[in-house]
Amino acid sequence: MSDTAAPASPAPSPSAGPALDELMLAMDVVDTLRHQEAVALRELAQDGRDENLKERLRSIYESQGLEVSDRILDEGIRARRESRFTYTPTPPSFKRTLAGLWGRRGTIGKVVAVVVLLAAAWIGWNAWQGYQAEQAAIAAQRELTEVLPNRIAAAADAALGEAKTDDARERAEQLHADALAALSRGDAEAARAGVIALNRLADALRETYVLRIVSRPGEMSGVYRIPDINSDARNYYLVVEAVKPDGTLLSLPVTSEEDGKTKVVSKWAVRVPKQTYDAVARDKTDDGIIQNNILGEKQRGSLEPTWRMNVMGGAITEW
């Protein structure tokens, strides 16, 4: 088989453009000039200084081990002067803005959707808050015009219905008047407090109990105090407890005359004259048992007990 010579590569046409590697070198020269901006601008601004600039560029490439021909350097300097290989953005315009927005329509659409959702949520929240405030205002007005008047009337009727003494009726009427006054000035909190006070008064008027003098081993039946302002005087007290008809003990609010503090207690001491104190002491000394042990009795419909012995009205809660 005979050998056949391979066809020769066609010679580059004289009219063809520069080879790719030369073009790349020219672009690199432009890039080098761009990085040597201060030097390039000074040299390019002066006619006839291309040779100086070429020598400077040649030194830069030789320091990198590259040999660049004069033609390539001239092409690069000319391209830099003509701003070739440099991107100049299109100047701003309305059409350009619209085109940019259209190109980003997907992202913009998502952003708009999120903004719309947030705006809708904000509007909905404010509408809900407004609705809640409106409903609260309606409820508050209804409480003042319907609910509380009925509650006050019912509580006052209950308290006045239980009152059997003048002081009890006066107390119920005063509480009723206070609650109505709070209602008339739109003070719902004070009106509610008035209802509570009337209900407590009615409960207190329903209570019945006796004040029994304590007489148990290891417990005191009476005490006395020496006032700070008069060391020669003595205040006498009998220790009592409230006993309901079924025998259970009752805790009651008692205000101490010594410090003015009110405490709910199941046992306290009532101030009595010395004669009452001595009579109870003799009763207990006789056989260790107080036969006449009922100091007073609280009847239904009354605020205060009816006293079976002479008392002076004050009380203490500690001794």
Side-chain angles (χ1 to χ4, degrees):
M1 185 171 63
S2 60
D3 294 333
T4 303
S9 300
S13 172
S15 61
L20 180 59
D21 56 349
E22 292 184 355
L23 181 62
M24 295 298 292
L25 276 172
M27 291 176 65
D28 187 72
V29 170
V30 173
D31 188 59
T32 300
L33 288 172
R34 182 173 60 82
H35 284 86
Q36 301 287 327
E37 191 70 23
V39 174
L41 290 178
R42 186 171 62 251
E43 300 294 347
L44 291 173
Q46 303 179 40
D47 294 334
R49 300 299 297 275
D50 287 358
E51 291 302 322
N52 292 340
L53 187 55
K54 283 171 57 177
E55 290 304 318
R56 187 181 297 275
L57 288 170
R58 195 188 313 278
S59 297
I60 292 174
Y61 281 104
E62 287 178 352
S63 68
Q64 298 174 8
L66 297 174
E67 182 177 349
V68 181
S69 68
D70 287 348
R71 187 170 63 84
I72 296 300
L73 293 176
D74 289 339
E75 181 67 20
I77 292 172
R78 186 164 51 254
R80 180 65 179 85
R81 180 178 286 111
E82 295 172 359
S83 297
R84 276 185 284 158
F85 309 124
T86 302
Y87 171 72
T88 302
T90 305
S93 66
F94 180 68
K95 290 184 178 180
R96 180 185 173 189
T97 300
L98 288 180
L101 291 175
W102 178 253
R104 298 192 300 273
R105 62 188 180 277
T107 301
I108 293 174
K110 293 178 181 178
V111 172
V112 171
V114 171
V115 171
V116 170
L117 287 175
L118 291 175
W122 183 81
I123 293 172
W125 172 254
N126 279 275
W128 173 251
Q129 291 291 94
Y131 173 77
Q132 291 287 84
E134 181 181 358
Q135 291 302 307
I138 292 173
Q141 183 63 26
R142 180 175 176 273
E143 184 183 24
L144 285 171
T145 58
E146 299 178 27
V147 177
L148 282 174
N150 292 334
R151 291 181 61 193
I152 290 172
D157 288 345
L160 288 169
E162 291 292 342
K164 299 296 187 292
T165 61
D166 291 342
D167 59 342
R169 280 187 289 271
E170 289 175 2
R171 179 61 176 160
E173 290 170 355
Q174 183 60 56
L175 291 176
H176 186 200
D178 292 344
L180 292 177
L183 197 63
S184 66
R185 64 176 182 268
D187 191 345
E189 184 177 356
R192 288 191 291 269
V195 172
I196 294 173
L198 283 166
N199 287 332
R200 286 178 177 173
L201 176 62
D203 291 340
L205 292 174
R206 293 187 190 101
E207 290 285 3
T208 60
Y209 55 85
V210 295
L211 292 177
R212 184 175 64 193
I213 302 172
V214 174
S215 179
R216 288 186 290 270
E219 293 193 49
M220 300 175 66
S221 300
V223 295
Y224 66 86
R225 290 281 216 253
I226 300 176
D228 293 336
I229 61 174
N230 186 0
S231 59
D232 294 331
R234 289 189 179 185
N235 296 331
Y236 296 91
Y237 299 88
L238 291 176
V239 180
V240 299
E241 54 194 1
V243 185
K244 298 173 66 174
D246 61 2
T248 59
L249 299 180
L250 182 67
S251 294
L252 297 172
V254 178
T255 301
S256 173
E257 64 179 1
E258 291 185 332
D259 56 16
K261 295 180 180 179
T262 299
K263 297 180 181 179
V264 177
V265 293
S266 60
K267 185 168 59 177
W268 66 99
V270 177
R271 188 175 177 184
V272 298
K274 185 177 185 304
Q275 293 84 351
T276 302
Y277 182 88
D278 289 342
V280 172
R282 287 192 298 270
D283 188 354
K284 186 174 183 179
T285 303
D286 183 24
D287 56 4
I289 299 173
I290 302 176
Q291 306 294 335
N292 187 17
N293 65 348
I294 304 301
L295 184 62
E297 181 180 5
K298 170 25 180 99
Q299 297 178 345
R300 182 165 183 164
S302 63
L303 287 175
E304 300 295 335
T306 300
W307 301 106
R308 296 186 182 181
M309 302 180 189
N310 291 332
V311 298
M312 301 182 70
I316 57 175
T317 56
E318 296 178 359
W319 50 87

